[in-house]
Amino acid sequence: MAQKPSIPKGTRDFNPVEASRRNYIFDTIRTVFREFGYAPIETPAMENLSTLLGKYGEEGDRLLFKILNSGDSIVPLAGKVDHDPANIDSNALSMMVCEKGLRYDLTVPFARFVVQHKNELAFPFKRYQIQPVWRADRPQKGRYREFYQCDADVIGSDSLYNELEMVQLVDDVFNRFGIRVLLKINNRKVLAGIAQVMGYPDRLTDITIAMDKFDRNGLEGVRGELLEKGIASEGLSRLEPLLLFKGITTSKIAFLTRLFEEGKSEVGLKGVEELKWLFDMIGQVGVGQSVELDLSLARGLNYYTGAIFEVKALDFSIGSLCGGGRYDNLTGVFGLNDMSGVGISFGADRIYDVLLGLDKFPDTVMDAPQVVFFNMGREEAVYALGCMKTLRASGISCELYPDEIKLKKQFDYATRRGVQMVAIVGEQEMKNNQVTWKNLVTGDQQTGGMQDFFNMFGI
Amino acid sequence: MAQKPSIPKGTRDFNPVEASRRNYIFDTIRTVFREFGYAPIETPAMENLSTLLGKYGEEGDRLLFKILNSGDSIVPLAGKVDHDPANIDSNALSMMVCEKGLRYDLTVPFARFVVQHKNELAFPFKRYQIQPVWRADRPQKGRYREFYQCDADVIGSDSLYNELEMVQLVDDVFNRFGIRVLLKINNRKVLAGIAQVMGYPDRLTDITIAMDKFDRNGLEGVRGELLEKGIASEGLSRLEPLLLFKGITTSKIAFLTRLFEEGKSEVGLKGVEELKWLFDMIGQVGVGQSVELDLSLARGLNYYTGAIFEVKALDFSIGSLCGGGRYDNLTGVFGLNDMSGVGISFGADRIYDVLLGLDKFPDTVMDAPQVVFFNMGREEAVYALGCMKTLRASGISCELYPDEIKLKKQFDYATRRGVQMVAIVGEQEMKNNQVTWKNLVTGDQQTGGMQDFFNMFGI
């Protein structure tokens, strides 16, 4: 009995159309990263579990895909351990048969890479990385167990010019995609200042986690969550005007300045100063996309310490397309302190959905060759293969239909593949150094000299 | 205590120089595949173990990386099983906690893909796939546990034009790399014919496995191995002249024809006919690289049924750079019969070593930006960022040094990164719409108008 083929749940095959479109996304992002001076690195899919564990919280540890040690059988263990499941630490046990896990994001491997190779690198180190990551999340619409991240980071400099560069990167990437986005910016120091003036300087994490849901849950949601976590109503009264504040950037900055001056929050004032510098520079340098200071933007990740970013599509309803921020001690856990950096991550899957939904994939993103030559017999094929050499040398994709069968069938293939043009070199054409071509889109058919044919492709 | 960062044995980090060079290899191969009408697909890193097991022989099964079921703990199992390890089938047990494995090559996932998506595809289906594979092999020099394969296959056609196309693909790829190679060709039907005239038609696998080592072990090695496997000396006397035969292709073909006519081997004669067609066509179409009919070429893989290929570097000592062949029933195990195809696989790691060893990486393969602008203060930086927009719009990579520090330190960074040119826009330059640039390779320094600066980059 033959097996019915399938793939693990939460994973995907990409057919030629999808893979071509994905390549367009990766190539575009890669081109922009490169033009901004970012250099590529690659890290292995498998990392030591000790590198990964404890870096993503308890939830993250649970969602790591663990790899069975090769050659090991798990059986001998059964003899070694206490057999009452209640007495066994299952994490410890799985560590005995699993020492490796699949990478969960590109940030931790990047931090590991920087520390491991610090003596070979020139700092500030600007790297990009476009690779898949794996998470054992429950699969659902739009959430996969294998997906690509496209990250750019600059580490080893606390200059705010790096924050500006992230804004320019985002601007450039989405300009090229032809997608209108809103880039929201906030600053973790401002959030720390708010926690301070609320009277809860040590509750920043709880406060940001609740704030992060302001978009979804509204003021009441944030209020309810924080009250439940023991934040007093009085503290909340300092937070709420901020979440609701409307106005242009300068008003927001004035509002924050007043708040932190009154509340004597140094960290808050430092955050405002950073935001002011960044927005001033954005104004001077100029960007094509919309940029907004969003005081409710929090981003859940604990390692951010300065500017934070999030990108939303303006014309398509979907989660954020891109996010990032400033961190001060990503590499500390691997023994290298005082390495400040900024990073940004583009989500290829959501960008794909937006480009598709808004019909923004360029016509040049094709999975089919530009020309299919029909197979008219051996001599003719040799002749056609000669033309094809010229076309390919100019980057034009083309192929010879492999079988000498009825033209009707060869036409069917060309149509089914979505080829734009078929070319026929029969006995007559060969004698006269001509080609007959048919544009399958316009229906236009013509016989002309070989050079006329090449001219159509700018050759 | 901070962890000392490391990666699993047999895996690699690629630094910016290495990753840039690898991207050049992948991009070159991808470009050629595309120009020949191959369309990209991607399959998940994880496949169901049922898809992978039994496809690569016992050895292969052992070398699969297995992934622990997520959420599962392996502990409850301990209570269910007989605790005497001797009584337990460890493969069966690991199947209970592992249902997924990392892909071992791109061929089996491709066959699975074709069957699973057959109704969406236009046949003959031409696909390329450039993705990593994983094998739990003992790591050693040049052998890794994670490495990329670059495969092109055309399936759903038994036309010999596809074999010709593989030869052209190989020719084109290595021409672009500027590597001189020898493409060796043989045919499995010829090998089957030889087994037949040797008197051992059912021992083709043993015979090809031994022949495959002729290069390494010589005639005595092949002889010894086959005698040990019970092939009589008389049979061997039919094989040996063939292994030793020297001469041009037409002599080899004549020799084979005579052999198979005398021995009445139909399959052998069919193989010779295919080889003759292929070599005739190669002569007519013309290729730049050397092509040879190598009667000792066997290739170990069982699924080949027609032409087989192998590529060796002519100017560098290393294993084969590329290999492939015709198969007739790759998809049979997944329930789709009569799908003949030809495929070829390029080994990126070895190509990397050859390009590096022969100093053939183009100068344009760089991990550093083309220009670094020094940071001379805020106003100057805004001005510089303006120039950089123009450069980037023309594809020139550039960056602003993020910190306003001593020029000496900024120079050091540029040198350390291997940047070719630094640009300075100070107060004077800004006033006169000028740039000062220094070529760090030639040492040449100049101050000129902005447009003169752009002209250097063809803008």
Side-chain angles (χ1 to χ4, degrees):
Chain A
M1 255 297 289
Q3 299 177 242
K4 193 174 173 296
S6 67
I7 52 175
K9 63 178 179 193
T11 68
R12 293 168 288 174
D13 281 330
F14 296 105
N15 68 27
V17 177
E18 294 161 339
S20 301
R21 287 177 181 153
R22 284 165 60 85
N23 283 345
Y24 161 70
I25 293 173
F26 298 138
D27 288 345
T28 303
I29 293 175
R30 185 184 292 121
T31 299
V32 175
F33 285 168
R34 202 193 58 80
E35 283 171 11
F36 276 79
Y38 290 77
I41 71 163
E42 282 181 52
T43 62
M46 299 186 278
E47 291 274 353
N48 290 322
L49 272 181
S50 55
T51 299
L52 302 174
L53 285 169
K55 308 302 188 298
Y56 306 105
E58 259 178 60
E59 167 84 352
D61 283 356
R62 217 171 40 74
L63 298 184
L64 291 175
F65 276 112
K66 301 183 186 77
I67 295 162
L68 209 63
N69 286 351
S70 53
D72 273 20
S73 139
I74 61 167
V75 178
L77 269 178
K80 285 186 205 149
V81 299
D82 180 339
H83 295 119
D84 180 352
N87 294 338
I88 296 171
D89 173 351
S90 72
N91 231 343
L93 183 60
S94 71
M95 285 283 288
M96 292 173 71
V97 291
C98 296
E99 287 158 356
K100 294 181 286 292
L102 291 177
R103 135 185 95 213
Y104 183 85
D105 70 0
L106 302 178
T107 305
V108 168
F110 167 59
R112 197 260 315 138
F113 178 96
V114 167
V115 180
Q116 195 172 330
H117 302 279
K118 59 179 182 290
N119 297 326
E120 311 152 31
L121 304 176
F123 291 100
F125 177 52
K126 299 171 72 168
R127 87 85 171 79
Y128 75 82
Q129 193 170 356
I130 299 179
Q131 290 193 283
V133 302
W134 294 269
R135 297 182 184 179
D137 250 323
R138 190 177 300 277
Q140 58 185 64
K141 191 175 155 17
R143 186 189 289 167
Y144 305 103
R145 292 185 149 193
E146 173 178 54
F147 56 97
Y148 268 73
Q149 291 191 333
C150 313
D151 283 21
D153 287 80
V154 44
I155 195 167
S157 158
D158 60 5
S159 163
L160 291 174
Y161 281 99
N162 299 317
E163 271 87 334
L164 178 64
E165 184 160 282
M166 293 293 145
V167 173
Q168 290 190 294
L169 263 181
V170 166
D171 186 45
D172 209 345
V173 165
F174 290 105
N175 288 342
R176 283 188 204 214
F177 283 135
I179 300 178
R180 294 196 321 131
V181 296
L182 171 62
L183 168 59
K184 300 197 230 177
I185 302 180
N186 200 2
N187 190 297
R188 272 298 181 107
K189 294 189 182 80
V190 164
L191 296 174
I194 290 164
Q196 207 170 27
V197 299
M198 283 169 73
Y200 295 91
D202 53 342
R203 302 292 296 281
L204 179 59
T205 304
D206 284 336
I207 294 168
T208 53
I209 287 173
M211 281 178 67
D212 220 17
K213 301 177 196 151
F214 174 65
D215 262 3
R216 238 177 309 150
N217 303 347
L219 194 60
E220 279 317 299
V222 175
R223 196 183 166 79
E225 178 167 339
L226 286 176
L227 281 172
E228 207 171 278
K229 286 192 169 157
I231 306 285
S233 204
E234 203 190 335
L236 290 175
S237 67
R238 310 297 297 261
L239 176 64
E240 289 167 7
L242 189 116
L243 291 177
L244 297 174
F245 192 88
K246 302 263 181 241
I248 59 169
T249 305
T250 46
S251 322
K252 286 175 185 168
I253 286 186
F255 172 87
L256 287 174
T257 307
R258 210 163 43 241
L259 182 75
F260 294 138
E261 275 172 355
E262 281 170 18
K264 295 195 186 359
S265 170
E266 263 184 55
V267 66
L269 286 169
K270 181 85 174 67
V272 175
E273 191 190 317
E274 290 183 10
L275 280 175
K276 190 172 173 329
W277 186 94
L278 183 56
F279 276 91
D280 281 355
M281 285 298 275
I282 291 170
Q284 283 190 266
V285 170
V287 296
Q289 300 282 353
S290 310
V291 182
E292 180 185 276
L293 170 52
D294 180 348
L295 299 179
S296 76
L297 177 67
R299 289 191 69 73
L301 293 169
N302 259 326
Y303 51 72
Y304 290 129
T305 54
I308 46 181
F309 307 102
E310 202 167 276
V311 176
K312 292 279 205 178
L314 282 174
D315 306 314
F316 196 82
S317 178
I318 198 166
S320 63
L321 305 183
C322 175
R326 159 76 62 183
Y327 43 81
D328 279 337
N329 198 20
L330 206 59
T331 54
V333 66
F334 298 113
L336 185 63
N337 289 309
D338 301 319
M339 288 291 269
S340 190
V342 200
I344 201 140
S345 183
F346 291 83
D349 288 303
R350 284 186 181 159
I351 292 173
Y352 186 103
D353 289 345
V354 175
L355 287 169
L356 193 65
L358 298 177
D359 197 17
K360 293 283 187 184
F361 279 110
D363 294 339
T364 48
V365 176
M366 287 183 304
D367 67 302
Q370 287 157 276
V371 191
V372 168
F373 282 78
F374 284 173
N375 196 325
M376 311 292 288
R378 181 164 165 168
E379 258 191 274
E380 292 84 350
V382 171
Y383 194 86
L385 286 166
C387 311
M388 290 163 70
K389 265 195 191 175
T390 306
L391 289 174
R392 286 170 183 157
S394 295
I396 307 300
S397 59
C398 52
E399 63 179 37
L400 172 70
Y401 190 83
D403 295 290
E404 197 188 323
I405 53 171
K406 278 189 200 143
L407 286 196
K408 169 78 174 67
K409 283 199 171 177
Q410 300 194 46
F411 254 116
D412 284 351
Y413 165 81
T415 308
R416 188 126 196 250
R417 269 211 74 182
V419 166
Q420 298 210 347
M421 184 178 288
V422 297
I424 300 169
V425 182
E427 212 180 322
Q428 274 306 318
E429 284 92 349
M430 210 166 64
K431 211 165 57 191
N432 304 323
N433 194 26
Q434 288 185 317
V435 186
T436 296
W437 61 86
K438 178 167 186 166
N439 185 319
L440 295 189
V441 183
T442 63
D444 179 45
Q445 179 171 330
Q446 240 180 294
T447 301
M450 187 63 74
Q451 190 52 54
D452 296 332
F453 178 67
F454 288 151
N455 284 344
M456 280 192 299
F457 302 98
I459 300 173
Chain B
M1 256 299 288
Q3 300 176 242
K4 192 174 173 296
S6 67
I7 51 176
K9 64 179 181 193
T11 69
R12 293 169 289 173
D13 282 330
F14 296 104
N15 69 27
V17 176
E18 293 160 338
S20 301
R21 287 178 181 151
R22 283 164 61 85
N23 283 345
Y24 162 70
I25 292 173
F26 297 138
D27 288 345
T28 303
I29 294 175
R30 183 184 294 120
T31 299
V32 175
F33 285 167
R34 200 193 59 79
E35 283 171 12
F36 276 80
Y38 290 78
I41 71 163
E42 282 180 53
T43 63
M46 299 186 280
E47 291 275 353
N48 290 322
L49 272 181
S50 55
T51 299
L52 302 175
L53 285 169
K55 309 302 187 298
Y56 306 105
E58 259 178 60
E59 166 85 351
D61 283 355
R62 218 172 39 74
L63 298 184
L64 291 175
F65 276 112
K66 302 182 186 77
I67 295 161
L68 208 64
N69 286 352
S70 53
D72 273 21
S73 139
I74 60 168
V75 178
L77 270 178
K80 285 186 204 148
V81 298
D82 181 338
H83 296 120
D84 181 352
N87 295 339
I88 297 171
D89 173 349
S90 73
N91 230 345
L93 184 59
S94 71
M95 285 283 288
M96 292 172 73
V97 292
C98 296
E99 286 158 357
K100 294 180 287 291
L102 291 178
R103 125 186 104 215
Y104 183 85
D105 70 0
L106 301 178
T107 304
V108 168
F110 168 60
R112 196 260 314 138
F113 178 96
V114 166
V115 179
Q116 194 172 330
H117 302 279
K118 58 179 184 290
N119 296 327
E120 311 152 32
L121 304 175
F123 291 99
F125 177 52
K126 297 171 73 168
R127 86 86 171 79
Y128 76 82
Q129 193 170 357
I130 299 180
Q131 290 193 283
V133 301
W134 294 268
R135 295 180 186 181
D137 249 324
R138 190 177 301 276
Q140 59 185 62
K141 191 175 156 15
R143 186 189 287 167
Y144 305 102
R145 293 186 147 191
E146 173 179 54
F147 57 96
Y148 269 72
Q149 290 190 333
C150 312
D151 283 21
D153 287 80
V154 45
I155 194 165
S157 159
D158 60 6
S159 163
L160 292 175
Y161 282 100
N162 299 317
E163 271 86 334
L164 178 64
E165 184 160 283
M166 293 293 147
V167 173
Q168 291 190 292
L169 262 182
V170 166
D171 187 45
D172 210 344
V173 165
F174 290 105
N175 288 343
R176 284 188 204 214
F177 283 136
I179 300 177
R180 294 196 321 132
V181 296
L182 171 63
L183 169 59
K184 300 198 230 175
I185 302 179
N186 200 1
N187 191 298
R188 273 298 180 105
K189 295 190 182 79
V190 164
L191 296 174
I194 291 164
Q196 207 170 27
V197 299
M198 284 169 71
Y200 295 92
D202 54 343
R203 300 293 296 280
L204 179 59
T205 303
D206 285 335
I207 294 168
T208 53
I209 288 174
M211 280 177 68
D212 220 16
K213 301 178 197 151
F214 174 64
D215 263 1
R216 239 177 309 152
N217 303 347
L219 194 60
E220 279 317 299
V222 175
R223 197 182 165 79
E225 178 167 340
L226 287 176
L227 281 171
E228 208 170 277
K229 287 193 169 159
I231 306 286
S233 204
E234 201 191 338
L236 290 176
S237 67
R238 308 297 298 261
L239 176 63
E240 288 166 7
L242 190 114
L243 292 177
L244 296 173
F245 192 88
K246 301 264 180 242
I248 59 168
T249 305
T250 46
S251 322
K252 287 175 185 168
I253 287 186
F255 172 88
L256 288 173
T257 307
R258 208 162 45 241
L259 183 75
F260 294 138
E261 275 172 355
E262 281 171 18
K264 296 197 186 354
S265 169
E266 263 184 56
V267 65
L269 285 169
K270 180 85 175 69
V272 174
E273 191 191 315
E274 290 183 9
L275 280 174
K276 191 173 172 326
W277 187 94
L278 183 56
F279 276 92
D280 281 353
M281 285 298 275
I282 291 170
Q284 283 190 265
V285 170
V287 296
Q289 300 282 353
S290 310
V291 181
E292 181 186 275
L293 171 51
D294 180 348
L295 299 179
S296 75
L297 178 68
R299 291 192 68 76
L301 294 168
N302 258 328
Y303 50 72
Y304 291 128
T305 53
I308 46 181
F309 307 101
E310 202 166 274
V311 175
K312 292 278 204 179
L314 282 175
D315 306 313
F316 196 82
S317 177
I318 199 165
S320 63
L321 304 183
C322 175
R326 159 76 62 183
Y327 43 82
D328 279 337
N329 199 19
L330 206 58
T331 54
V333 67
F334 298 113
L336 186 63
N337 289 309
D338 302 319
M339 288 291 268
S340 190
V342 200
I344 201 139
S345 183
F346 290 83
D349 288 303
R350 284 185 180 160
I351 292 173
Y352 186 103
D353 289 346
V354 175
L355 287 169
L356 194 64
L358 299 177
D359 196 17
K360 292 283 188 187
F361 279 111
D363 294 338
T364 48
V365 176
M366 287 183 304
D367 67 301
Q370 287 157 277
V371 192
V372 168
F373 282 78
F374 283 173
N375 197 324
M376 312 292 287
R378 181 163 166 170
E379 257 191 274
E380 292 85 349
V382 170
Y383 193 86
L385 286 165
C387 310
M388 292 163 68
K389 265 195 192 175
T390 307
L391 289 174
R392 286 169 182 157
S394 293
I396 307 301
S397 60
C398 52
E399 63 180 37
L400 173 70
Y401 190 83
D403 294 290
E404 197 190 322
I405 53 170
K406 278 189 197 141
L407 287 196
K408 168 77 175 65
K409 284 200 170 176
Q410 300 193 45
F411 254 117
D412 284 352
Y413 166 82
T415 308
R416 191 131 192 244
R417 270 211 75 181
V419 166
Q420 297 209 348
M421 185 178 287
V422 297
I424 300 169
V425 182
E427 213 180 319
Q428 274 306 317
E429 283 93 350
M430 210 166 63
K431 211 163 59 191
N432 304 324
N433 196 25
Q434 287 185 317
V435 186
T436 296
W437 62 85
K438 178 167 186 166
N439 185 319
L440 295 188
V441 183
T442 62
D444 179 45
Q445 180 170 331
Q446 239 180 294
T447 301
M450 186 63 74
Q451 190 53 52
D452 297 331
F453 177 68
F454 288 151
N455 284 344
M456 282 191 300
F457 303 98
I459 299 173

